[in-house]
């Protein structure tokens, strides 16, 4: 067992399989439906779409509480008393999770916390890369691992394309007029994660299959992404033909490996169904 245990939130969308493979501990964020609050990842994401269709409202999302982290940190420390904990956090400007973890880590000197300034697949890419590094170098200190994570997060590039702006409109993030125009004109804003914030940058126009492939080409060339792996994320409802086209485009761009993950409740609530995103590391 490595002397460092990695921790992330469910908002990273790290799959149970990857978490198990690399012994990554996942702390739940939360999704609230009226008076019912559930752990992210503990229910089918279709529930979010059904709730919106039924009520016209979106669920509310919330970050991990200090109690969530106290419970997780204490369980890890009890199981691995000699290990250090490296918590690689969901973007601190978007949720309270990072601050909650800092509160929980008081008087626990075996915890190191770093804000990845990423969400979803961007955060997952960093966490898994560090997990692989620790697997290759089990002697690595937590300080060296934290330094490696800091380097990676400075080079992590992530963006996503909503299929439409309906969920963003329902959440008050865009106006009715903008959402309607987007639907009529098939406009898909590229939402990039810049310094931890979700920022709409370039606008793509056309069917999702076309713009998803264009996004991969543009993003790969603009940021000179390393070709060893490209992470792809999707929300429920993305057609298989779009996933196939995205994979073919990534291979044409020279990516050696493609890693898909499905977004869970937090990301689905904000991005809506049939959204598509990518993440990778800049080679510059």
């Amino acid at each position: 067992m490595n002397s460092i245990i990695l921790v992330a939130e469910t908002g990273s969308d790290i799959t149970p399989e990857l978490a198990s493979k690399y012994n990554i501990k996942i702390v739940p964020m939360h999704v609230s439906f009226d008076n019912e609050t559930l752990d992210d990842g503990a229910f089918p994401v279709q529930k979010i779409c059904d709730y919106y269709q039924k009520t016209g409202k979106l669920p509310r999302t919330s970050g991990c509480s200090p109690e969530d982290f106290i419970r997780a940190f204490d369980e890890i420390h009890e199981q691995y008393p000699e290990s250090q904990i490296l918590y690689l956090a969901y973007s601190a400007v978007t949720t309270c999770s990072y601050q909650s973890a800092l509160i929980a880590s008081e008087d626990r000197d075996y915890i190191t916390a770093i804000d990845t300034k990423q969400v979803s697949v961007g955060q997952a890419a960093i966490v898994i890369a560090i997990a692989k590094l620790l697997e290759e170098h089990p002697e690595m200190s937590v300080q060296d691992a934290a330094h490696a994570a800091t380097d990676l997060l400075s080079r992590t590039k992530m963006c996503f394309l909503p299929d439409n702006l309906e969920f963003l409109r329902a959440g008050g993030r865009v106006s009715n007029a903008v959402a309607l125009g987007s639907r009529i004109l098939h406009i898909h804003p590229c939402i990039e994660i810049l310094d931890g914030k979700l920022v709409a940058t370039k606008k793509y126009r056309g069917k999702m299959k076309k713009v998803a492939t264009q996004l991969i080409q543009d993003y790969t060339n603009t940021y000179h992404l390393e070709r060893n792996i490209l992470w792809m994320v999707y929300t429920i409802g993305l057609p298989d033909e779009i996933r196939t086209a995205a994979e073919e485009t990534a291979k044409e761009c020279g990516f050696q490996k493609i890693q898909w993950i499905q977004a869970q409740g937090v990301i689905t609530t904000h991005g809506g169904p049939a959204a598509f995103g990518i993440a990778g590391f800049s080679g510059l």
Side-chain angles (χ1 to χ4, degrees):
M1 177 59 60
N2 197 284
S3 61
I4 300 171
I5 307 298
L6 298 179
V7 173
E9 304 92 333
T10 52
S12 67
D13 294 320
I14 293 172
T15 65
E17 293 77 17
L18 286 171
S20 176
K21 179 178 180 180
Y22 294 108
N23 196 33
I24 301 165
K25 305 305 180 182
I26 305 297
V27 183
M29 298 172 82
H30 308 285
V31 182
S32 297
F33 302 84
D34 294 321
N35 296 322
E36 180 186 31
T37 297
L38 302 174
D39 288 348
D40 181 28
F43 61 91
V45 289
Q46 183 63 45
K47 181 179 176 69
I48 293 170
C49 301
D50 293 343
Y51 178 81
Y52 176 71
Q53 290 297 324
K54 181 179 179 180
T55 67
K57 301 185 299 181
L58 290 178
R60 301 183 312 278
T61 62
S62 57
C64 310
S65 68
E67 291 74 20
D68 291 325
F69 279 109
I70 288 171
R71 188 180 308 110
F73 291 157
D74 285 353
E75 287 178 358
I76 295 169
H77 190 58
E78 181 178 353
Q79 188 172 4
Y80 308 106
E82 302 302 319
S83 294
Q84 292 285 310
I85 293 174
L86 178 57
Y87 163 52
L88 299 175
Y90 192 99
S91 172
V93 300
T94 66
T95 181
C96 66
S97 289
Y98 183 67
Q99 187 60 39
S100 292
L102 294 184
I103 294 171
S105 64
E106 292 178 2
D107 300 322
R108 292 172 171 83
D109 60 4
Y110 49 86
I111 299 168
T112 300
I114 294 176
D115 175 11
T116 68
K117 300 184 178 182
Q118 284 291 334
V119 305
S120 186
V121 69
Q123 182 186 7
I126 295 169
V127 176
I128 299 302
I130 295 301
K132 291 180 177 179
L133 185 65
L134 292 173
E135 190 174 63
E136 295 168 1
H137 301 280
E139 77 288 351
M140 180 174 283
S141 70
V142 70
Q143 291 81 10
D144 287 340
H147 180 77
T150 301
D151 172 67
L152 275 179
L153 70 88
S154 71
R155 298 189 292 110
T156 304
K157 306 298 177 183
M158 180 205 163
C159 66
F160 71 93
L161 295 167
D163 180 49
N164 61 65
L165 303 185
E166 186 64 24
F167 272 41
L168 292 173
R169 180 205 62 77
R173 293 176 176 83
V174 300
S175 68
N176 290 337
V178 169
L180 179 62
S182 173
R183 186 185 308 116
I184 293 172
L185 299 174
H186 297 293
I187 294 174
H188 306 268
C190 175
I191 311 295
E192 292 192 61
I193 315 302
L194 302 176
D195 198 28
K197 301 175 183 177
L198 280 67
V199 180
T201 55
K202 183 175 180 178
K203 292 181 179 178
Y204 288 86
R205 183 172 179 179
K207 297 290 187 179
M208 193 64 165
K209 181 178 178 180
K210 171 187 173 184
V211 300
T213 57
Q214 188 64 53
L215 173 73
I216 295 170
Q217 295 168 344
D218 291 348
Y219 217 64
T220 297
N221 294 327
T222 298
Y223 290 111
H224 306 280
L225 297 183
E226 294 176 349
R227 299 303 204 272
N228 57 323
I229 185 170
L230 183 67
W231 289 79
M232 295 187 180
V233 63
Y234 68 100
T235 57
I236 186 172
L238 186 73
D240 288 343
E241 65 174 356
I242 295 176
R243 293 184 59 178
T244 299
E247 285 194 19
E248 291 174 350
T249 301
K251 291 175 182 176
E252 290 170 1
C253 289
F255 287 98
Q256 300 169 24
K257 182 178 179 180
I258 299 160
Q259 178 72 59
W260 282 98
I261 59 174
Q262 180 179 343
Q264 294 301 309
V266 169
I267 301 302
T268 301
T269 299
H270 298 298
F276 168 76
I278 60 173
F281 299 118
S282 171
L284 296 182

